[in-house]
Amino acid sequence: MSEQRVAVITGGASGIGRQVSLKFARKGDRVVVADYNEAAGQETVDMIKKEGGEAAFVQVDVSKQESVEALVDKAVELYGRIDVMHNNAGIGGAGPVLEQNMDLYHRTINVNQHGVAYGIIAAGRKMKELGIKGVIINTASVFGFLASPGTFAYHATKGAVIMMSKSAALELAPYGIRVVAVAPGAVDTPIIQGYKDSGMLDSMRAKVMGGELTQPEVVADTVYLVSLDEAAAITGSVVMADQGYASFK
């Protein structure tokens, strides 16, 4: 691509989103770091600028469609285009099915599922409007395929992300816009660390290659590779970035 790309990363204040933001910037792309947490999001931007990259922070509440639409509009206002939309923002949805905190249940659905839908719609419309053959990458999870106790709402959202990615890819293909889901496994992020006292982390380590949690930087590498023109054949797919978690027993 001759023109410098613009990548919008939601959940860019920490974890996978921060590392994806750093990865794209290090490769020469301009990055819009989007998050609800302004201080931590600005910290990601400062890290990028310290390394000589170009980035801006935009506060977003992905549970609100108008906020996501404003994010995409702001990215185009700042940099003139949008080539990559990484719908990554997410929260954990803990709690056994019969003991659901319904406020947390709805919050999880609104952020993890609706937030991705809003991102697909807003970025897809803008890419079509601008005639950009971009790529929309959605953070799914092995928990979109595999069940585990105590994460009822989270499973629901990640399963939805997978099917939304497939459906959107089918409809956006005529415009040259790709849609891909990346499914991490046991990644060392604040969400996973929230389960450290339950014994769940030990179980996860036993199911991955090397016996250690995946680092966010490794997932970021996968997201970046999927975004490249050389990955043009990948759309409507779920790319596993799980170190074998979904395959190992």
Side-chain angles (χ1 to χ4, degrees), residues 132-184:
I132 293 172
K133 295 181 179 180
V135 57
I136 300 169
I137 305 170
N138 304 316
T139 298
S141 170
V142 293
F143 283 172
F145 302 95
L146 305 176
S148 63
T151 52
F152 175 73
Y154 189 81
H155 285 299
T157 63
K158 293 306 181 177
V161 167
I162 289 168
M163 289 311 302
M164 287 192 298
S165 299
K166 290 177 177 290
S167 177
L170 181 67
E171 294 196 38
L172 297 183
Y175 310 111
I177 301 168
R178 295 189 294 121
V179 186
V180 184
V182 171

Side-chain angles (χ1 to χ4, degrees), residues 8 40 69 87 139 169 171 188:
V8 178
E69 290 175 347
N87 295 305
T139 298
E171 294 196 38
D188 191 6

